[in-house]
Structure formats: structure tokens, C-alpha cells
């Protein structure tokens, strides 16, 4: 049985990111949010595009106003008003100024802007009541970005700030990585869909819905393959199909050591290499991770072999193992160059947290900001791997390392911050 850290290292080493030559597509800027940029972006535009004013005030020559004060103000002639979007037709001469507004182009001859609060105007004259700094409130051309240099690197997620930058740079279309394709199926004769009436001994397949939602949140595309009965032939058929269409395959159930747990045997029959069979964690001990031989002969969109995760069947264990192992794998696969590792925080525990210390233990709950300090509040009720109910509205997992049996209230605890929190 592997430690959690060893299992994580093996998984992330197995992940091969999407290929920038084969696995990209062009999208419009309006649909590019949350996508991963596949190629660096440059712009032919300088930012700012021209010298412009950072303040409402008066464009002046510093030489004219360098000794101004409230007691002895310099008086200048106003020759022009320059609103934003207007190109000045004048050149500021000694003893002259132009009324200027934020974002407007600095007129020729001027090199400094005096904010209007430090002036007094009388008709076509302005009294400068304070000495500005040289070039004060002037945003110089190309001081933010120089045309032709890299504006944004490849391998970043495009959120609203990046979208704004790309719009300002007049980039209407972008090359992004395609979304990773994740095949999802559940195994078990006892499983039924949400619209079927329950018979004795049956349970609703909540795992498939949870996993599909998590895959969407990660930016990948879920491929729903349904419920597969505990039948080796049926399982082999669906796994073979998943190999042909997906980058990652996620199954839930069938990976323990019971009489009806067939997944590992079928993977071996398909010549898969099983890298992980169990992990020293609670919940989530039964975890299969495998890769397949080269599929060059199969008609696929990518030549990479898919990574197979056989997740546990219990719903809490499914979510915990997804957050701990699958989510970082999807992020790395997606083309993100950094930031795909799990995010851990050290916070204060509100509650007493207990474990038997035999395995690394994950307890779910919620982070609250108390007097500027994050505090972990454990979810009430049972923390059984089969209890899905108290996972609702949680946003963090407290981690008790192997050998740690107790964390007292107000003691520091490490938590795994969950997706989109």
C-alpha cells in the first residue's frame, strides 16, 4: 500500500499534458473564459498607446510651474480643452496650458499634468497653486507594455483580467487547448439511475453525477458512459470504448477485493500497467491507477494513452480521492504550466478532530473567516465513507497525517482547499 504523497507523485508523473501541436483549437474571445492559452500572445500595440493624462487637470510645461505656490501662483493661458478621445492640434508654448481630462492625449510641448484640485481657474487663465513633480500624472507610451514583446504566456488559465488584456490588445481569436475528455462510468448491480424507483437493496448512482459535476468544474468535458453491471464482458466493453475516446477514465466501484470487484482483472486482461492498487488514506484506500499500451492503431483525437482511475464505490471516498488525486491530474493534463498541485492551508481548528492514526485521514468541513483568521469547522454527523449527506456545503478537507490521532480545538491543522473556493 502506498503513502498518499507517493501515490500523488506517481500520478502526476504519469500525466502527459495535451500537445500544443495536436490538441488545440481556435476560439472567439467572448468564449475564451476559463480556457487554457496554448500559444503565447503578442500585440502590435503599445500600452498606453500614447502619452496620456492620469488625472483631470491642466497639461503644462514643468519649466513654467516648477516654482508655483499658493502664495505666488504661476498664471498660465488656457489655449485648449482636451477630452479623452480627442487629438490635440496645438503645441503648448511657454506661459500656456491646456485643460485636460483623464485618459486624454498629452499635447505637444507639455510634459506634466497639474491636478485640478491644485489650481484655480478664471475664464481663460489658470492659477497653479502648488509645484507638481516633473512629469507628474503623465502615463507614458509603452510604459505598461511594449509592442511586439510577449503579452501573455502559454499555459495560463484565461480569467476576467486576462480576457480584458486580450480585448484591449485587439485579439479577437485565440489558440487554446481543447478541453480534456474524461470518460465516467459506475459499476455495480445495485445501482439505479435517479429516475428509477428503488427496490430493496438498490441505491441511486450519485457518484456519476458528482464526478461529472467535478469534471465540469475542472474545465474538462465529461463523457457519461452510464452504469455497468458486475459483468466482466460488459466492463471490458465499456473500458475498451473509454480507451478509444478519453484522455482520462474514471470508474467508481469494483476496485476492492470482493468477489464482484472485476476492474483490476479486466485492466490486466487489456494489458494495462497498474501503478497503484491501494493508498494509505481514509476514506479512499481502494484506488486503482493504470495506463494502457500505445493506441496508435485506434482512430483517436490524441495519441496519448489515457490514464485510468478506478475510484472507490463509497460516495465520500469518491469525492475525497477526486479532490486529492484526479483534479490535479486533470489540471496538469489541460496544459496549465503551474498551479495544478493541490492547495493546502494551515488554519485553526474550531473542533476536536480525531483519527485512529493508522492512515492519513481526511475530514470534511467548512472554512470560516473569524477575526481575519481562517478556521476549520468540521461537518456534523458521521464521517463514514458511505455518508454523502454531510458533504453538502463543505469547502475544505482537514488532513490528519498518519500517526496523528488528535487535533484539539484552536490547534493548527492542515486543510486541503477544494475546487472553486
Amino acid at each position: 500500500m502506498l503513502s498518499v504523497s507517493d501515490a500523488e507523485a506517481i500520478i502526476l508523473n504519469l500525466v502527459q499534458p495535451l500537445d500544443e501541436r495536436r490538441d488545440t483549437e481556435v476560439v472567439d474571445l467572448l468564449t475564451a473564459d476559463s480556457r487554457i492559452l496554448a500559444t503565447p500572445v503578442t500585440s502590435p500595440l503599445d500600452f498606453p498607446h500614447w502619452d496620456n493624462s492620469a488625472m483631470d487637470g491642466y497639461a503644462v510645461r514643468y519649466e513654467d510651474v516648477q516654482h508655483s505656490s499658493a502664495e505666488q501662483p504661476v498664471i498660465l493661458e488656457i489655449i485648449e480643452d482636451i477630452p479623452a478621445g480627442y487629438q490635440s492640434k496645438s503645441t503648448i508654448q511657454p506661459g500656456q496650458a491646456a485643460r485636460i481630462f483623464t485618459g486624454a492625449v498629452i499635447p505637444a510641448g507639455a510634459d506634466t499634468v497639474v491636478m485640478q484640485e491644485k489650481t484655480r481657474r478664471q475664464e481663460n487663465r489658470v492659477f497653479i497653486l502648488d509645484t507638481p513633480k516633473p512629469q507628474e500624472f503623465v502615463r507614458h507610451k509603452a510604459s505598461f507594455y511594449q509592442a511586439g514583446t510577449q503579452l501573455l504566456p502559454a499555459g495560463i488559465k484565461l480569467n476576467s483580467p486576462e480576457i480584458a488584456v486580450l480585448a484591449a490588445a485587439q485579439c479577437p481569436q485565440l489558440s487554446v487547448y481543447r478541453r480534456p475528455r474524461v470518460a465516467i462510468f459506475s459499476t455495480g448491480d445495485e445501482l439505479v439511475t435517479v429516475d428509477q424507483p428503488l427496490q430493496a437493496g438498490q441505491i441511486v448512482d450519485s457518484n456519476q453525477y458528482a464526478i461529472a459535476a467535478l469534471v465540469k468544474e475542472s474545465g474538462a468535458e465529461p463523457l457519461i458512459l452510464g452504469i455497468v453491471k458486475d459483468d466482466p464482458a460488459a466492463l471490458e466493453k465499456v473500458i475498451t470504448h473509454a480507451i478509444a475516446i478519453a484522455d482520462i477514465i474514471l470508474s467508481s466501484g469494483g476496485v476492492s477485493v470482493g468477489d464482484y470487484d472485476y476492474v483490476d482483472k479486466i485492466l490486466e486482461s487489456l494489458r494495462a500497467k497498474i501503478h497503484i492498487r491501494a493508498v494509505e488514506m481514509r476514506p479512499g484506500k481502494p484506488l486503482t491507477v493504470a495506463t494502457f499500451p500505445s493506441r496508435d492503431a485506434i482512430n483517436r483525437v490524441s495519441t496519448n494513452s489515457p490514464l485510468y482511475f478506478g475510484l472507490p464505490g463509497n460516495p465520500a471516498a469518491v469525492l475525497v480521492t477526486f479532490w486529492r488525486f484526479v483534479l490535479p491530474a486533470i489540471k496538469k493534463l489541460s496544459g496549465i504550466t503551474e498551479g495544478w498541485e493541490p492547495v493546502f492551508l494551515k488554519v485553526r481548528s474550531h473542533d476536536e478532530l480525531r483519527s485512529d492514526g493508522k492512515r492519513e485521514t481526511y475530514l470534511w468541513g467548512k472554512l470560516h473567516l473569524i477575526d481575519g483568521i481562517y478556521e476549520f469547522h468540521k461537518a456534523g454527523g458521521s464521517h463514514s465513507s458511505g455518508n454523502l449527506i454531510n458533504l453538502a456545503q463543505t469547502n475544505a478537507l482537514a488532513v490528519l497525517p498518519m500517526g496523528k490521532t488528535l487535533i484539539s480545538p484552536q490547534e493548527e491543522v492542515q486543510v486541503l482547499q477544494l475546487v472553486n473556493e
Side-chain angles (χ1 to χ4, degrees):
M1 199 180 333
L2 292 170
S3 69
V4 172
S5 59
D6 286 346
E8 177 188 51
I10 289 171
I11 290 167
L12 292 179
N13 187 57
L14 290 171
V15 175
Q16 297 299 316
L18 295 175
D19 192 302
E20 64 183 28
R21 295 163 298 177
R22 297 190 305 265
D23 298 315
T24 61
E25 58 189 13
V26 176
V27 298
D28 292 335
L29 183 59
L30 283 173
T31 61
D33 58 295
S34 299
R35 302 301 296 271
I36 309 301
L37 192 61
T39 56
V41 174
T42 61
S43 174
L45 301 174
D46 290 315
F47 286 86
H49 308 321
W50 45 73
D51 290 356
N52 70 90
S53 177
M55 191 71 64
D56 289 352
Y58 293 87
V60 301
R61 293 167 9 110
Y62 177 74
E63 184 179 354
D64 288 343
V65 299
Q66 59 183 315
H67 301 300
S68 297
S69 67
E71 294 77 21
Q72 292 185 319
V74 170
I75 304 171
L76 302 174
E77 177 191 5
I78 303 169
I79 63 168
E80 189 177 22
D81 281 7
I82 308 176
Y86 173 76
Q87 179 65 55
S88 172
K89 299 179 176 60
S90 304
T91 298
I92 303 300
Q93 302 293 338
Q96 295 180 339
R99 179 76 168 107
I100 197 166
F101 296 88
T102 302
V105 179
I106 300 294
D111 57 18
T112 300
V113 173
V114 181
M115 61 189 301
Q116 65 184 19
E117 291 83 354
K118 295 183 178 181
T119 66
R120 176 167 53 86
R121 181 170 181 169
Q122 288 184 356
E123 299 178 346
N124 69 333
R125 298 188 303 165
V126 61
F127 292 70
I128 308 299
L129 306 177
D130 194 14
T131 300
K133 296 177 182 178
Q135 303 184 58
E136 189 168 24
F137 300 124
V138 175
R139 294 186 290 221
H140 291 283
K141 178 181 179 180
S143 60
F144 301 161
Y145 168 79
Q146 187 173 4
T149 61
Q150 181 172 284
L151 182 65
L152 292 176
I156 63 170
K157 186 177 181 180
L158 298 175
N159 295 314
S160 53
E162 291 78 23
I163 296 294
V165 168
L166 291 165
Q170 294 187 317
C171 298
Q173 292 186 316
L174 304 163
S175 176
V176 299
Y177 287 106
R178 64 171 176 81
R179 297 186 188 278
R181 299 179 175 93
V182 181
I184 303 165
F185 65 92
S186 302
T187 68
D189 292 340
E190 74 280 13
L191 299 178
V192 296
T193 60
V194 295
D195 55 352
Q196 289 180 266
L198 286 174
Q199 305 297 324
Q202 293 183 329
I203 58 173
V204 174
D205 175 25
S206 63
N207 288 346
Q208 191 165 176
Y209 292 89
I211 294 171
L214 289 167
V215 167
K216 286 181 182 178
E217 289 172 6
S218 74
E221 177 187 354
L223 308 174
I224 309 300
L225 303 184
I227 298 171
V228 185
K229 297 299 182 181
D230 289 323
D231 174 71
L235 281 167
E236 182 173 345
K237 181 178 179 181
V238 76
I239 292 173
T240 301
H241 177 55
I243 292 170
I245 63 172
D247 303 295
I248 288 179
I249 303 169
L250 302 179
S251 66
S252 63
V255 293
S256 192
V257 291
D259 292 342
Y260 297 96
D261 295 324
Y262 299 119
V263 169
D264 283 12
K265 296 176 183 177
I266 292 168
L267 292 175
E268 290 171 349
S269 74
L270 293 172
R271 296 186 296 125
K273 181 176 180 180
I274 298 179
H275 302 269
I276 299 172
R277 295 180 186 270
V279 182
E280 291 177 322
M281 65 185 294
R282 175 178 284 118
K285 174 185 173 183
L287 174 69
T288 294
V289 177
T291 52
F292 299 91
S294 174
R295 303 160 307 179
D296 292 342
I298 300 174
N299 183 19
R300 278 185 41 81
V301 294
S302 174
T303 59
N304 288 340
S305 175
L307 184 60
Y308 187 97
F309 288 89
L311 305 180
N314 283 315
V318 165
L319 291 172
V320 170
T321 50
F322 185 97
W323 284 318
R324 188 63 184 85
F325 299 120
V326 181
L327 180 59
I330 292 176
K331 286 184 175 181
K332 184 178 180 182
L333 174 72
S334 71
I336 295 176
T337 53
E338 59 182 18
W340 31 261
E341 303 90 344
V343 177
F344 290 96
L345 306 174
K346 288 186 176 180
V347 305
R348 186 173 61 198
S349 179
H350 175 268
D351 306 293
E352 181 178 275
L353 308 177
R354 286 190 174 274
S355 163
D356 63 10
K358 295 178 181 178
R359 285 180 269 159
E360 187 166 300
T361 300
Y362 293 77
L363 301 173
W364 40 97
K366 194 164 188 177
L367 287 175
H368 293 275
L369 194 60
I370 309 295
D371 297 329
I373 298 174
Y374 274 113
E375 193 172 81
F376 176 79
H377 290 235
K378 186 179 75 168
S382 167
H383 281 244
S384 162
S385 62
N387 183 14
L388 179 64
I389 302 303
N390 64 348
L391 269 161
Q393 300 183 69
T394 57
N395 63 9
L397 298 172
V399 184
L400 278 70
M402 187 183 301
K404 184 77 171 179
T405 59
L406 173 66
I407 291 178
S408 301
Q410 304 308 303
E411 188 179 344
E412 189 177 75
V413 61
Q414 182 171 258
V415 301
L416 173 60
Q417 190 176 25
L418 304 184
V419 64
N420 290 344
E421 293 294 335

